[in-house]
Amino acid sequence: MTSKLEILSVETILVDVPTIRPHKLSVATMNHQTLVLVRIATSDGIVGWGEGTTIGGLAYGEESPESIKTNLDTYVAPLLKGQDPRGVARLMATVSGRIQGNRFAKCALETALYDNQARRLGVPLSELFGGRVRDSIPVAWTLASGDTQRDIAEAQRVLELRRHNIFKLKIGLRSVKDDVAHVAAIKRALGDVASVRIDANQAWSVTQALDGMRQLADAGIDMVEQPIVARDKLGLQRLTQANIIPVMADEALHGARDAFEVASLGAADIFAVKINQSGGLRGAAQVAGIAQAANIALYGGTMLEGAVGTMASAQLFATFHDLAWGTELFGPLLLTEEILREPLFYRDYSLQIPVKPGLGIDIDEEKVARLRRDR
Ligand SMILES: O=C(O)C[C@H]1C=CC(=O)O1
Ligand SMILES: [Mn+2]
């Protein structure tokens, strides 16, 4: 007797993990990260994992870890239970037909469905997105301790380990002058062996940004990320067309529609592609496709996800033909606890992407059980 192939359960799990040090962004100081994990079990014994992680509660995006969990549990899981897990696009079309917004929740769900299906097919997740063009990807590290000397020491330590040679500095809490002095001191200490970039997370006005960008270009900084408020695409266009230093769009990109607008306006030189901000892997692939069509360079962004979201992102970014600015898939390295049986492998300034089926990682379910908020 053959039994029907169906989705048995869609479980969501909140996992709070302390960070290795305070992580200071203009919008929040993080002392821990909350991972929202989704676990989808199917009747053939396969389990798929996804992650819908954000930054600083509601400080960064309009979904919180708790809203992601509640909305998936209440409105989405009942739509999927009993359904055939094959045909991820069909399942996501059903979900999108009933659920407005909730990009992070949809990303977590879609990732778990793709992981489940890729495991069934016995292929790495990258195969479902056309196949990979690389088995490892460069990974930047973010310096955000809030202290210049501590940031320099941290950068020198990871440079020596050959773990990172690209550094992103979080600024925007202090005056433009003080932030530029902080950034310039770090660049001077590291020299030409490192690429130094900044992310102001929307903190500046257009005039502050123009002033800051001139000074940062003089200090040898390679790029500025989302200097002004996300909704001001014309402002971003002014900054990009001022041609002072390459401009990267991050929070301005919530999926394909935004990508199309930013690209049409010539409002960025680089796109930070993020699976959660894009509403999932397919959404992120569309953002990347629009960038490529518009001759906008690609960067693989993060929401400081743990291993699941990081590897889902890596599996997709591995399929991009050109990843000119590398990635920042360092999230798991910022956390004090690992939820994998074997940790991710960072070497030679890059993350190695496994070739095992699905995401290519093994979740340590006992560890998850010990760390989950409702244990
Ligand atoms: O890019 C962001 O805005 C979010 C994130 C990425 C690295 C980091 O430290 O914060
Ligand atoms: Mn950013």
Side-chain angles (χ1 to χ4, degrees):
M1 191 188 86
T2 51
S3 60
K4 184 181 159 217
L5 177 55
E6 62 181 325
I7 294 175
L8 297 179
S9 62
V10 179
E11 190 193 355
T12 58
I13 306 165
L14 296 182
V15 175
D16 298 304
V17 186
T19 54
I20 57 171
R21 56 151 169 75
H23 197 62
K24 282 192 152 185
L25 285 66
S26 66
V27 292
T29 297
M30 299 167 65
N31 291 295
H32 78 276
Q33 177 60 305
T34 302
L35 316 177
V36 187
L37 300 177
V38 173
R39 181 184 188 279
I40 295 184
T42 45
S43 55
D44 52 358
I46 295 175
V47 171
W49 289 87
E51 181 177 344
T53 292
T54 185
I55 289 174
L58 281 170
Y60 195 104
E62 57 283 85
E63 284 166 83
S64 68
E66 294 76 14
S67 84
I68 296 168
K69 177 173 171 46
T70 301
N71 292 347
L72 286 174
D73 290 350
T74 313
Y75 297 101
V76 179
L79 295 175
L80 294 182
K81 271 184 223 159
Q83 298 283 330
D84 188 325
R86 294 165 294 193
V88 178
R90 175 181 43 80
L91 292 168
M92 291 309 294
T94 302
V95 170
S96 291
R98 305 271 191 90
I99 312 288
Q100 301 297 324
N102 286 275
R103 300 186 314 279
F104 286 64
K106 284 175 182 164
C107 175
L109 183 79
E110 193 205 43
T111 302
L113 288 168
Y114 273 124
D115 183 33
N116 183 284
Q117 174 64 358
R119 285 177 200 251
R120 179 170 300 106
L121 296 172
V123 296
L125 210 155
S126 51
E127 285 298 308
L128 302 188
F129 287 87
R132 58 180 71 174
V133 295
R134 59 183 75 77
D135 288 315
S136 71
I137 43 176
V139 178
W141 178 251
T142 296
L143 300 170
S145 76
D147 178 90
T148 309
Q149 293 312 316
R150 188 170 172 186
D151 281 357
I152 291 172
E154 192 174 293
Q156 284 169 338
R157 189 174 59 78
V158 296
L159 262 171
E160 254 163 52
L161 292 171
R162 294 176 59 83
R163 213 179 70 187
H164 310 279
N165 57 5
I166 304 170
F167 298 96
K168 161 158 139 177
L169 277 49
K170 288 290 188 181
I171 62 172
L173 276 173
R174 295 173 280 205
S175 67
V176 173
K177 185 166 162 275
D178 289 350
D179 269 341
V180 170
H182 164 77
V183 174
I186 293 174
K187 176 63 188 171
R188 267 198 310 278
L190 302 182
D192 289 338
V193 297
S195 171
V196 177
R197 303 136 181 212
I198 67 96
D199 188 354
N201 287 115
Q202 316 183 54
W204 286 342
S205 66
V206 172
T207 37
Q208 283 174 319
L210 286 167
D211 177 29
M213 286 162 63
R214 279 187 203 101
Q215 297 183 55
L216 290 166
D218 288 346
I221 303 312
D222 291 329
M223 163 247 278
V224 300
E225 179 173 339
Q226 198 66 53
I228 62 165
V229 68
R231 65 176 174 276
D232 187 5
K233 295 190 174 80
L234 291 177
L236 214 51
Q237 178 193 47
R238 279 172 68 192
L239 302 185
T240 303
Q241 297 189 357
N243 217 11
I244 299 165
I245 184 171
V247 173
M248 180 150 81
D250 180 8
E251 289 94 317
L253 299 172
H254 289 177
R257 177 72 219 178
D258 284 327
F260 176 65
E261 271 175 36
V262 174
S264 307
L265 289 169
D269 300 295
I270 310 157
F271 278 4
V273 181
K274 294 185 172 178
I275 62 169
N276 270 294
Q277 294 272 51
S278 306
L281 292 149
R282 284 230 302 173
Q286 288 167 359
V287 169
I290 290 166
Q292 280 180 313
N295 211 7
I296 289 170
L298 291 181
Y299 177 71
T302 183
M303 287 302 292
L304 302 175
E305 291 103 335
V308 173
T310 296
M311 199 42 75
S313 304
Q315 292 278 351
L316 178 70
F317 301 161
T319 70
F320 295 169
H321 289 197
D322 202 355
L323 197 53
W325 290 81
T327 78
E328 55 182 16
L329 292 180
F330 68 88
L333 299 171
L334 190 65
L335 305 179
T336 53
E337 301 270 3
E338 205 30 281
I339 55 160
L340 301 180
R341 289 186 196 285
E342 287 193 21
L344 301 184
F345 189 28
Y346 291 88
R347 183 188 71 194
D348 292 332
Y349 314 111
S350 299
L351 170 63
Q352 313 300 312
I353 308 168
V355 289
K356 287 192 288 186
L359 292 169
I361 52 180
D362 285 323
I363 305 290
D364 184 340
E365 296 218 31
E366 283 171 21
K367 198 76 185 282
V368 173
R370 281 203 300 282
L371 290 170
R372 57 190 291 161
R373 189 181 284 183
D374 60 359
R375 67 188 171 275

